[in-house]
Structure formats: C-alpha cells, structure tokens
Amino acid sequence: MDLVRFIIRRLAAGIVLLLVVSLVIFVACEFLPGDVAEIMLGQSASPENVQALRVELGLDKPSYLRFLAWIWGMFHADWGISLTTRLPVADMLSERLANTLVLAGLTTLVAVPLALGLGIVLAVRKGTKLDRFGTVAIVGLCSTPEFLVATVGVLVFAIHLHWLPAISYLSPGQGVFPFMKSILLPFATMTIIIGAQIARMTRAIVGDILTQPYVEMARLKGASGTRVVVHHVLRNAVGPLVNIVSLNVAYLVSGVVIVETIFAYPGLARLMADSVLARDLPVVQSCAIIFCAAYIALIMLADIIAHLSDSRAKDGAIS
C-alpha cells in the first residue's frame, strides 16, 4: 500500500507540474516578438488584411480563452492547426516524434549499457593507468560541444572517406540498411556525448560507494570483488544511477536540436526550432509540452525505481 500511495502522489504531482509548465509555455509564447498574422502576410499587407487573418486564426480572443482552448484540445487529442502549413499539428508531430524516438531509442540501447559498464570498471580500477586514461578521455568528451563532434564526423566519414551521408535523409519504405546508414552519424554523435556523461557520473557514484565502511567490512569478511560490486555496491547505486540515466534519456528526446540541425535529421527538436522561426505557435507549444512531459515522466519513473531499490523505504524508514 505504501508503494501504491507513493506512485499516486508522484502521478498527482506530475499532473500538477505539467499543468503549471503548460501555463509557463503558453505565457512564454505570448511574449515571442512579432505578430504571426503580419509574418504570414508579409510587410506589404494592409492593416485590414492583418486584422482579418488574426480573427481567422483566433488571435483576437483573450489569452486565457486561447489557453483554456489549447488545454481542452490536448485532453481531446486535438493539437490544433499549424499557422504556416495549415496542416493538423498532430500529423506533423506524429512523423517527427517517431523519428526522434527511433534515434533516442537506438542511442539508449547502446550508450547506456556501455557507459554503465565503463564507469563501473573505472571505479573498481580507480588509481590505475586504465582509470587515469579513461577519466581523461571521458572528461574530454564531456567538455566537447555536440556540434564539434558532429562536424568532425561529417568531415571524416562523409567528406573525406565518403562512407556515410552528411545529411540524414529518411523516406517512407526505406530499407533497413539505407536507414541505418542515414542515421549512423547522428546516432554515433549522441552515443558519444550521452555515453561520456553517464560513464563519468557512474564512476563518481560507484567510486564513492566503494569507500563506504560496509563495503570494507564485506571485503574483510572475504567477499570476492565481483560479489562486493554486485551485491553491495550496485544495489545501493541503483537510485542515483537511474536518475542520471533518466535525465540523459530525456535529453535525447528534447535536447538534440543541434545534432538534428547539423544532420538535417527530421526530428521533433528541429521541427520546434523551425516553428519558432516561423512563429508557428501551436506547433511550438505542442513540441514544448511533449518535451516537458517526457522529462516529467522519466523523472517520475526514476523516482519510483529508486524508491523500490531503497531498502530503507521497504523497511518503512522513509516515505
């Protein structure tokens, strides 16, 4: 019952937080400079035509009515109509979201296990040449901007070697091999960036737990190195590691706008960036709320997993 109450409280907090975030997103979009109707019609448009378009788009209504209509529409799977393309926002989002989820999913499947394994090995071998070399490499990769990693990849593998395309062109019905070839460069870029971040934090977390007195006691009792790591270290590292992984996975969904722009990858982050430039507010608001919902959902899932792995919570010491 304690777990059920914990999950219900987290779900309620997530819903309230999402409503607050949706209000912040709407207010922020209201303060974007420029008038949508003027941008769509151009500078030569007459004031009468601009006003007529504002009425047609519903921009003449009070802000609170438009906010309530937006929230009501989202609860009924109606994301509105794009101001620039006049297409349903839901259709635009579904295609881009699928591409983003494919890239994020592949990166997660490869980067997370590799990074966790590397971080654990470096923590266990702390102070050795392997640890020093690996730490320098990881910190160097963490300090390298995404655009630089992506640009180097394009220069080497697309321009000089001609092995991979510089642009990630995706088309319906594309075969598996052409598809993998198209997304290999953005996938490798995100794997390097995310993997380095997770490996650095894993090394720090596991290395700190290895210095705890109960770990030393387990060693003095004759436990093997593998048993110490598996039964005494990783069990207590699950909570913080899950939070680190969830934050990085959430970043894969919403924070890859630079990578998607460099490789012209048709993902959700690039759609949002293009929509901001075009003042396409329904698309901007929808993309932003999806990003926030992904963050809230993943952090909530991490909280639940951390709660389940916390022996103090099982004993009722904390709630």
Side-chain angles (χ1 to χ4, degrees), residues 1-168:
M1 290 302 293
D2 289 341
L3 177 62
V4 175
R5 283 198 295 269
F6 178 82
I7 294 176
I8 292 175
R9 284 200 300 268
R10 285 294 186 273
L11 286 173
I15 293 173
V16 172
L17 181 59
L18 196 58
L19 289 174
V20 173
V21 169
S22 65
L23 178 60
V24 173
I25 292 171
F26 185 84
V27 172
C29 289
E30 288 292 297
F31 282 102
L32 283 177
D35 186 276
V36 176
E38 290 181 357
I39 294 174
M40 293 176 65
L41 295 177
Q43 296 181 350
S44 60
S46 63
E48 292 76 13
N49 290 337
V50 172
Q51 181 59 27
L53 184 57
R54 286 180 59 81
V55 173
E56 179 184 348
L57 298 176
L59 300 176
D60 60 322
K61 298 178 181 177
S63 298
Y64 73 93
L65 289 180
R66 286 187 281 123
F67 173 72
L68 293 177
W70 176 50
I71 296 296
W72 182 259
M74 282 196 302
F75 278 115
H76 292 80
D78 180 9
W79 298 79
I81 302 296
S82 168
L83 299 181
T84 56
T85 65
R86 309 302 295 167
L87 295 174
V89 176
D91 294 344
M92 299 172 65
L93 294 178
S94 60
E95 181 183 356
R96 296 298 189 98
L97 181 60
N99 293 335
T100 294
L101 291 179
V102 167
L103 180 60
L106 290 175
T107 304
T108 302
L109 288 176
V110 175
V112 172
L114 286 177
L116 291 176
L118 179 61
I120 293 171
V121 169
L122 294 181
V124 173
R125 304 291 299 275
K126 188 175 183 179
T128 63
K129 291 182 179 179
L130 175 64
D131 174 47
R132 288 194 289 270
F133 175 78
T135 302
V136 170
I138 288 173
V139 172
L141 290 174
C142 290
S143 306
T144 305
E146 298 168 4
F147 72 87
L148 183 58
V149 177
T151 303
V152 171
V154 171
L155 288 174
V156 174
F157 295 102
I159 296 178
H160 290 287
L161 298 178
H162 301 287
W163 288 354
L164 298 171
I167 296 176
S168 298

Side-chain angles (χ1 to χ4, degrees), residues 10 13-15 17-18 21 291-301:
R10 285 294 186 273
I15 293 173
L17 181 59
L18 196 58
V21 169
F291 295 155
C292 294
Y295 263 102
I296 293 173
L298 287 170
I299 291 174
M300 188 169 58
L301 180 62

Side-chain angles (χ1 to χ4, degrees), residues 225-240:
T226 303
R227 182 176 178 80
V228 168
V229 172
V230 173
H231 290 274
H232 298 282
V233 176
L234 292 184
R235 182 176 296 177
N236 293 290
V238 168

